[in-house]
């Protein structure tokens, strides 16, 4: 079974600064996807960024980028130029590619990101 | 609809009551997932449907939990004889039936059992 670990229950950053959220995972599979989701108080899970394990290049989406280290099974999220609207719970998630779409997500426990104005 | 819709948004039940939570997935999405999210935790998998077939129910915590998707669209998660430990947010997600298709989540139903 796969596990996802987020070791930072809470992080705080000044507005406009950069913050990195950590995530490690454990799996015996070689083909999978990794995700970062944002969950604001509205409770809806919003996809922030996705990484395919077979791609060596780190994914980026505007101010969001990841540092994917496959050998170390590490998948951190960097948020540049933090904005007040970035405040939320952030979840790292793993999805196997062996089930052809039948596999759900395995989530970490989340990191609560606070943006200081 | 434009996204995944869940109802009710909030539900308070007395211990021992039965509840039914509804999920309307995005039209055309074959895959549908239910998750349970306890306070301060990440979502945990409950069950998976491909169209009307429930292919995985390994995450359902007890036989009091039952899910159905009879016509391959709307799904209902039913909890019988609710207990306090059932208090959580129940999230529904849908996707196309491809491993690289992202899951689209609803806003969840917050269930409080008193």
């Amino acid at each position: 079974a796969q596990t996802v670990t987020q070791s930072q229950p809470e992080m705080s950053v000044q507005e406009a600064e950069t913050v990195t959220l950590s995530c490690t995972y454990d799996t015996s599979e070689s083909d999978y996807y990794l995700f970062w989701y944002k969950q604001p108080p509205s409770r809806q899970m919003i996809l922030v960024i996705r990484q395919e394990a077979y791609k060596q290049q780190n994914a980026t989406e505007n101010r969001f980028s990841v540092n994917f280290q496959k050998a170390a099974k590490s998948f951190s999220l960097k948020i540049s130029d933090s904005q007040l609207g970035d405040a939320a719970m952030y979840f790292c998630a793993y999805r196997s590619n062996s089930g052809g779409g039948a596999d759900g997500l395995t989530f970490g426990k989340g990191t609560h990101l606070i943006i200081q104005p | 609809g434009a996204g995944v819709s869940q109802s009710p948004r909030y539900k308070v039940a007395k211990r021992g009551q039965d509840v039914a939570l509804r999920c309307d997935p995005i039209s055309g999405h074959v895959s549908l997932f239910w998750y349970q999210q306890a306070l301060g935790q990440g979502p945990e998998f409950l069950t998976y449907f491909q169209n009307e077939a429930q292919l995985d129910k390994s995450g359902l915590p007890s036989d009091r939990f039952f899910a159905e998707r009879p016509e391959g669209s709307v799904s209902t998660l039913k909890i019988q004889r609710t207990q306090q430990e059932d208090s959580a947010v129940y999230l529904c997600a849908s996707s196309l039936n491809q491993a690289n298709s992202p899951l689209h989540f609803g806003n969840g139903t917050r269930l409080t059992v008193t």
Side-chain angles (χ1 to χ4, degrees):
Chain A
Q2 297 83 22
T3 58
V4 177
T5 302
Q6 292 179 250
S7 58
Q8 305 155 316
E10 187 174 279
M11 290 285 283
S12 182
V13 64
Q14 289 288 128
E15 195 176 0
E17 297 294 308
T18 295
V19 64
T20 298
L21 308 184
S22 300
C23 172
T24 59
Y25 60 94
D26 190 23
T27 183
S28 58
E29 298 177 329
S30 59
D31 192 9
Y32 51 87
Y33 297 90
L34 295 164
F35 305 84
W36 279 97
Y37 278 86
K38 170 184 177 181
Q39 188 179 41
S42 68
R43 299 201 302 260
Q44 186 174 24
M45 286 286 195
I46 301 165
L47 179 63
V48 174
I49 199 164
R50 179 178 74 177
Q51 175 79 42
E52 291 89 342
Y54 62 84
K55 287 189 177 178
Q56 291 188 332
Q57 186 172 9
N58 289 324
T60 62
E61 287 286 343
N62 301 313
R63 298 182 294 107
F64 299 87
S65 62
V66 298
N67 183 3
F68 174 46
Q69 302 289 328
K70 191 172 184 179
K73 296 180 182 171
S74 170
F75 183 61
S76 60
L77 174 70
K78 185 170 84 171
I79 306 174
S80 303
D81 185 26
S82 299
Q83 300 176 0
L84 293 178
D86 295 334
M89 285 293 293
Y90 284 81
F91 292 95
C92 179
Y94 172 103
R95 189 180 194 189
S96 172
N97 195 22
S98 63
D103 296 286
L105 294 164
T106 300
F107 289 89
K109 290 188 185 296
T111 296
H112 181 209
L113 179 63
I114 299 167
I115 311 294
Q116 306 276 6
Chain B
V4 178
S5 177
Q6 290 188 248
S7 61
R9 189 150 170 76
Y10 299 92
K11 176 69 179 177
V12 179
K14 285 189 166 48
R15 187 166 46 187
Q17 282 184 332
D18 298 349
V19 298
L21 313 180
R22 178 187 168 104
C23 172
D24 267 285
I26 292 172
S27 178
H29 277 191
V30 169
S31 297
L32 187 145
F33 301 84
W34 282 98
Y35 287 85
Q36 180 190 57
Q37 186 177 20
L39 187 64
Q41 302 294 315
E44 299 214 349
F45 171 80
L46 291 176
T47 187
Y48 163 70
F49 288 87
Q50 186 178 100
N51 295 308
E52 69 279 3
Q54 188 176 19
L55 299 186
D56 187 350
K57 53 182 181 179
S58 61
L60 296 177
S62 79
D63 59 8
R64 297 185 296 104
F65 286 70
F66 172 76
E68 61 183 5
R69 194 185 184 197
E71 297 177 1
S73 178
V74 171
S75 177
T76 304
L77 176 67
K78 297 179 179 177
I79 309 173
Q80 297 176 324
R81 304 181 303 281
T82 51
Q83 303 294 315
Q84 282 193 319
E85 62 262 28
D86 300 335
S87 296
V89 172
Y90 291 85
L91 294 167
C92 175
S94 71
S95 74
L96 296 170
N97 193 32
Q98 296 161 16
N100 62 353
S101 298
L103 268 64
H104 298 263
F105 285 83
N107 284 345
T109 294
R110 181 181 294 281
L111 172 66
T112 303
V113 182
T114 61

